[in-house]
Amino acid sequence: MTSLDKPTHDAGQSPPGGGREDDGRAHDSRAVTEAALFEAFGGIRGMVETVLPGLIFVTIFTINKDLHFSAIAALAVSVVMLVVRLLRKDTVKHAFSGVFGVAFGVVFAMFTGNAKDFYLPGMLYTLGLALAYIVTTLAGVPLIGLMLGPVFKENLSWRTRNPGRKKAYAKASWAWGLILLAKCAILFPLYWWADTTQLGWILVILKIPPFLLAVWLTWVFLAKAPPPIDVFAEMEAAEKAEEAAKAEREGAAAENGEPAAGRHRRG
């Protein structure tokens, strides 16, 4: 086993002081969880960037039924939001994903001539993501853990060293998978039966509430889980300990009149 795989007996256990120290650590853990989720899922700005292109498309299409103008306007809004992030030197991963998602929808709708196909790539992505959450959880590597592990600086240590966190990640991944499947169960029948404006407005309505529910459940599960194991801090501590031990050996060798590089072999 490597140092990252060895079980730790104190992961998630309360320190011997108890009392206020426990409360302080629990509060810190919740604060870290909130900040990590906010970063990982883009926060309010990320939600706006997710909703706005679809809102622009369905609003314009509802007014004038012009597929080309609606699609180009939605894509232009996505590009503008990406450019603003680049100019501000902000994180662009959410904006990039938004631009690509809208671009696929525009290309697909233009190719088929069916305005409803603007939404189809995003719906298929949602279905694929739902299945990914469920399959990875069944495989013992829940997707939420793979996504949030680096954010919490624990990488994959939760898999073997922190069973409480692995269980929380599994619950969160099940929540995301089932919520997204429920969303797909509403949208795909509407794709066949509803018209473009009905599908578009329902899609806009269903953008944020399921997302917020899944994020809230993730926060609930992780806030009750043991704190993450900071593997980066452990590696830094191990490096410092090794350097200190090396310096101590060299100091002892110098006191004994031996070369710093090491002791001579004895014949």
Side-chain angles (χ1 to χ4, degrees), residues 176 188 254:
W176 278 91
F188 277 96

Side-chain angles (χ1 to χ4, degrees), residues 50-98:
T50 300
V51 172
L52 193 56
L55 180 60
I56 293 294
F57 178 87
V58 70
T59 300
I60 295 176
F61 190 83
T62 300
I63 295 171
N64 61 17
K65 306 299 182 184
D66 189 328
L67 168 60
H68 291 76
F69 184 67
S70 303
I72 292 172
L75 182 59
V77 168
S78 296
V79 172
V80 167
M81 291 189 294
L82 174 60
V83 171
V84 170
R85 278 192 177 265
L86 289 172
L87 292 175
R88 292 170 58 90
K89 298 181 179 180
D90 293 335
T91 302
V92 297
K93 60 181 179 180
H94 300 289
F96 264 125
S97 62

Side-chain angles (χ1 to χ4, degrees), residues 3-4 230-245:
S3 61
L4 297 183
D230 191 336
V231 295
F232 297 106
E234 288 184 343
M235 288 188 287
E236 289 177 2
E239 288 177 0
K240 290 179 179 179
E242 184 178 351
E243 290 174 0

Side-chain angles (χ1 to χ4, degrees), residues 169-215:
Y169 282 138
K171 289 180 179 179
S173 291
W174 274 115
W176 278 91
L178 294 177
I179 288 171
L180 293 180
L181 279 182
K183 182 177 176 180
C184 291
I186 296 172
L187 294 179
F188 277 96
L190 289 174
Y191 173 79
W192 296 107
W193 300 332
D195 60 32
T196 301
T197 55
Q198 290 172 333
L199 175 62
W201 285 112
I202 291 174
L203 260 165
V204 169
I205 292 170
L206 289 180
K207 278 285 185 180
I208 300 302
F211 172 80
L212 291 179
L213 175 60
V215 171

